[in-house]
Amino acid sequence: MGSLEGKVAVVTGGGRGIGASIVRRFAAEGAAVVVNDLGATADGQGGDAGPADQVVKEVVAAGGRAIADGGDVADTATGQRLIDTAVSEFGKLDILVNVAGILRDRMIFNLSEEDWDAVIRVHLKGHYSTVRPAAQYFREQRNPDANYRIINFSSVSGLDGSPGQPNYAAAKMGVIGLTYSLAQSLAKYGVTANSISPGAATRLTGTVPDEKRANFRNEEDPSRSPDNIAPLALYLASDRSRWLTGRTLRASGYDVGLYNNPEVIRQLSSTGPWDQERLADLIEGNFRSVADGLPPSVFARQLGRN
């Protein structure tokens, strides 16, 4: 018996890349899967039902259960339909995985409003589109002992601040904030919420210029396969992960990591309003040495201020 036997999952962006790998792995472990994929280009243009249909055909041919949906996940009607389809076709919903995304890379000074809005729409609104009806369903079950799962997808682009992806970075850090909120608000309904920051050679990374994607240049390298992300997603979807919520994890190649959550690491306090010069002196005397020792100090080095 597979670790997801009897479970029902919805996976967005499930027609290609990381999403398709997750669909295949979930189905092989016994889950019935609603596979959503608009089939658009990497920058979100057009649509093609083929990718979702093809993955479903593979799953069914292997003896699994799956159904395709070619809707735009950033359309809230699509999000509602995916959850309704899971319940009507397979009887319930246990797992929601939000993978769908696009890229429109520009430096911030060259980034059009259209390209900003398009990326934010697919990533952030696309998560909202499915999470809201899924959360409503989970809440209606009134089962605090359930093992419901929400798995969102963030990116090292946001966590590290990719300079040529301000729209994508902002959206992916927004996903982390959403995940924190869901972990707190839905825990009493038996729901865990976590996010994955993946590293793999995919159709999207293939659009990044070679000089900016050295780690993904050799797409034939098995360590760069999207299939390497699926084991972490499978664990987070399983009953064993009940203890883990509100966290971001990294899967890249054959490495899996756990990110820390933001926290105050040093604090200054005053008994009244700050004198500006005193505050400046204390910040520099107490914060600078700590900040310079942290990874983000790379930003200060870019300005030659370290």
Side-chain angles (χ1 to χ4, degrees):
M1 179 181 294
S3 62
L4 299 184
E5 195 68 38
K7 303 282 189 180
V8 177
V10 169
V11 180
T12 73
R16 288 179 281 209
I18 293 170
S21 292
I22 290 173
V23 168
R24 296 186 189 102
R25 189 64 181 268
F26 279 19
E29 291 291 329
V33 189
V34 178
V35 182
N36 164 260
D37 200 303
L38 178 61
T41 60
D43 64 354
Q45 302 293 324
D48 178 3
D53 288 340
Q54 179 58 39
V55 171
V56 167
K57 288 177 182 177
E58 293 176 24
V59 168
V60 172
R65 297 183 297 160
I67 188 170
D69 183 286
D72 178 0
V73 74
D75 183 340
T76 56
T78 297
Q80 183 69 60
R81 184 176 66 248
L82 294 176
I83 305 311
D84 291 344
T85 298
V87 176
S88 63
E89 294 294 325
F90 301 123
K92 59 176 181 170
L93 173 70
D94 300 287
I95 304 157
L96 169 64
V97 185
N98 290 301
V99 187
I102 65 170
L103 287 179
R104 293 194 182 184
D105 292 356
R106 296 286 188 278
M107 297 295 286
I108 187 63
F109 37 76
N110 291 324
L111 183 66
S112 70
E113 182 179 5
E114 178 186 0
D115 288 343
W116 172 272
D117 288 347
V119 170
I120 297 296
R121 176 181 179 271
V122 172
H123 290 277
L124 271 181
K125 191 176 181 184
H127 275 66
Y128 163 79
S129 172
T130 58
V131 165
R132 182 176 183 270
Q136 288 177 327
Y137 172 82
F138 295 148
R139 180 174 179 264
E140 289 167 359
Q141 307 315 302
R142 300 290 180 180
N143 183 6
D145 297 321
N147 281 296
Y148 298 133
R149 302 286 182 263
I150 296 175
I151 304 170
N152 296 326
F153 268 74
S154 183
S155 173
V156 70
S157 172
L159 290 156
D160 286 357
S162 177
Q165 298 179 310
N167 46 2
Y168 188 73
K172 288 305 192 180
M173 285 303 284
V175 167
I176 291 178
L178 172 63
T179 302
Y180 290 163
S181 177
L182 299 175
Q184 296 205 72
S185 63
L186 300 178
K188 63 184 176 181
Y189 304 115
V191 182
T192 67
N194 294 286
S195 64
I196 295 175
S197 171
T202 67
R203 187 172 58 103
L204 292 190
T205 62
T207 68
V208 180
D210 285 346
E211 65 273 13
K212 295 182 179 180
R213 60 183 182 101
N215 290 339
F216 303 98
R217 191 169 295 157
N218 184 4
E219 296 184 3
E220 301 303 316
D221 181 349
S223 73
R224 310 318 305 169
S225 170
D227 291 345
N228 295 318
I229 313 302
L232 176 57
L234 175 62
Y235 175 74
L236 293 178
S238 72
D239 289 354
R240 288 189 63 172
S241 70
R242 185 179 179 87
W243 63 276
L244 180 64
T245 193
R247 295 288 181 173
T248 297
L249 295 96
R250 170 82 169 155
S252 181
Y254 305 132
D255 298 328
V256 172
L258 174 68
Y259 281 96
N260 67 311
N261 288 13
E263 61 179 345
V264 175
I265 57 174
R266 184 165 290 190
Q267 180 168 303
L268 303 172
S269 298
S270 174
T271 58
W274 283 101
D275 172 79
Q276 190 63 39
E277 286 300 313
R278 179 170 179 266
L279 176 60
D281 289 343
L282 287 172
I283 287 175
E284 292 174 5
N286 289 273
F287 289 179
R288 187 165 184 172
S289 62
V290 176
D292 285 351
L294 298 174
S297 64
V298 66
F299 304 135
R301 285 197 294 272
Q302 293 288 335
L303 296 173
R305 292 178 182 172
N306 273 36

